[in-house]
Amino acid sequence: MTLQGLTMGTSWSVRLVARPSGVADAMQGIERVLDRVVAQMSNWETGSDISRFNRSTPGTWLLPPPEFLTVLDAALEIARLSDGAFDPAIGALVDLWGFGPAGPRKTPPADDAVADALARSGWRRIEHDMAALRARRTATAALDFSGIAKGFAVDRVSEWLAGQGLVHHLVEIGGELRGSGLKPDGQPWWVDLEAPPGVAVPVNRVALHGLSVATSGDYRRWFEHDGRRHAHSLDPRTGRPIANGVASVTVLHPSCMLADAWATALTVLGTEAGLALAEAQGLAARIIERAEQGVREWHSSAFRAMAG
């Protein structure tokens, strides 16, 4: 059976091996899990934990929920390992470019506005203490979990289902997926990896058996001005949309939260640096690049081993 709905500005679906009598309970449980993630991590909700954090006085320790701190801890670690290519503290830049709660825009912001938002951003301005379950801003940097929260929500739904004894399922939120167990026919959950629209690349099909997949692409949210597309994938180091030719990055990982964040980091880094980091971290990654000679597809060694 398939359950579905809306959350986090996108759609969700769960394919589930279960008796029909359990549908109502499963639907309610999934929605509770998703509502909890939104209540903690949505910048669009003024009363969410992340919104309260972003309004807090710099230097003041707060006590966010454990799930919030789990995501923050992972985000800061990937920011460190990627040397800031992934950065959870670029809320000011996300808003400035029209991809946040402030609403969309039709023209790029002025250079001085970008410089100002960049000066107020950055993961090094966020501190956390997992032992004491606390976190704080040391400056007016604003958190934005849009590059990691969907993956975390996928994990939480999958974990909740397993805790209910519903171990055979495929969870999807906005294109990020995690599979557990098997289908009724005994086959794993086979999925075709997402590719940018209009891009001709060979179909890659993977079995999500205790595995997650996340894709970051330049085609999901963007605006065009003077013939140039400005995508939602921002480079935290420059404060501007990426322009490195990367069309999409797909990462396979047991954790959808980590797959989500790593896909964003590799997208920002670009093909050469992204592949190098994927190799260093043992990540199964596929990069699709738009180049003058046409579309090119690149695979990390871990991806090739998994596909082979």
Side-chain angles (χ1 to χ4, degrees):
M1 69 184 66
T2 300
L3 307 177
Q4 56 191 359
L6 300 175
T7 188
M8 304 172 75
T10 187
S11 62
W12 67 264
S13 67
V14 173
R15 294 174 62 187
L16 191 61
V17 180
R19 294 179 178 177
S21 59
V23 172
D25 289 344
M27 187 76 177
Q28 292 173 5
I30 291 167
E31 290 180 334
R32 283 196 299 269
V33 171
L34 295 173
D35 288 347
R36 181 172 175 84
V37 174
V38 169
Q40 293 185 31
M41 305 178 198
S42 173
N43 293 80
W44 277 260
E45 300 291 332
T46 58
S48 68
D49 291 289
I50 197 169
S51 293
R52 286 195 293 269
F53 184 90
N54 289 340
R55 294 193 300 267
S56 66
T57 303
T60 302
W61 287 104
L62 301 182
L63 302 173
E67 297 95 332
F68 180 100
L69 286 167
T70 294
V71 172
L72 178 62
D73 184 61
L76 292 175
E77 177 65 3
I78 294 179
R80 182 184 68 81
L81 293 172
S82 67
D83 198 22
F86 178 86
D87 194 327
I90 59 168
L93 287 164
V94 172
D95 268 351
L96 180 66
W97 281 94
F99 302 118
R105 62 183 304 141
K106 297 181 179 179
T107 61
D111 290 347
D112 58 348
V114 173
D116 176 67
L118 188 61
R120 294 184 286 111
S121 301
W123 63 278
R124 290 185 175 86
R125 295 176 171 86
I126 306 295
E127 294 182 351
H128 73 308
D129 182 344
M130 292 299 288
L133 295 177
R134 62 181 187 171
R136 66 178 178 181
R137 308 189 298 167
T138 60
T140 56
L143 289 176
D144 184 293
F145 285 162
S146 58
I148 193 171
K150 277 195 305 179
F152 175 77
V154 169
D155 287 335
R156 291 296 295 134
V157 169
S158 178
E159 291 158 4
W160 181 86
L161 289 169
Q164 304 303 303
L166 302 171
V167 297
H168 304 288
H169 58 258
L170 178 69
V171 180
E172 180 267 336
I173 300 177
E176 325 294 30
L177 301 105
R178 174 167 162 167
S180 174
L182 302 170
K183 297 191 294 183
D185 61 3
Q187 287 288 312
W189 301 99
W190 289 97
V191 300
D192 293 340
L193 299 187
E194 182 179 335
V199 172
V201 293
V203 174
N204 283 280
R205 180 167 293 177
V206 296
L208 297 186
H209 182 66
L211 192 65
S212 300
V213 59
T215 298
S216 176
D218 67 356
Y219 49 88
R220 287 185 169 170
R221 295 176 63 200
W222 51 275
F223 69 89
E224 190 169 327
H225 180 256
D226 284 345
R228 180 178 178 183
R229 176 180 290 196
H230 300 275
H232 78 284
S233 297
L234 302 180
D235 187 335
R237 302 164 300 180
T238 65
R240 300 178 180 278
I242 62 169
N244 56 20
V246 171
S248 73
V249 174
T250 297
V251 173
L252 299 166
H253 197 283
S255 163
C256 198
M257 173 182 70
L258 296 182
D260 195 4
W262 278 122
T264 300
L266 301 185
T267 298
V268 170
L269 285 170
T271 302
E272 184 176 353
L275 282 174
L277 183 59
E279 294 295 336
Q281 295 297 321
L283 298 172
R286 179 191 72 169
I287 298 177
I288 297 177
E289 177 189 26
R290 293 187 177 96
E292 291 183 2
Q293 61 270 38
V295 175
R296 302 186 67 181
E297 185 175 357
W298 307 83
H299 299 154
S300 68
S301 57
F303 185 96
R304 291 195 298 271
M306 191 172 291

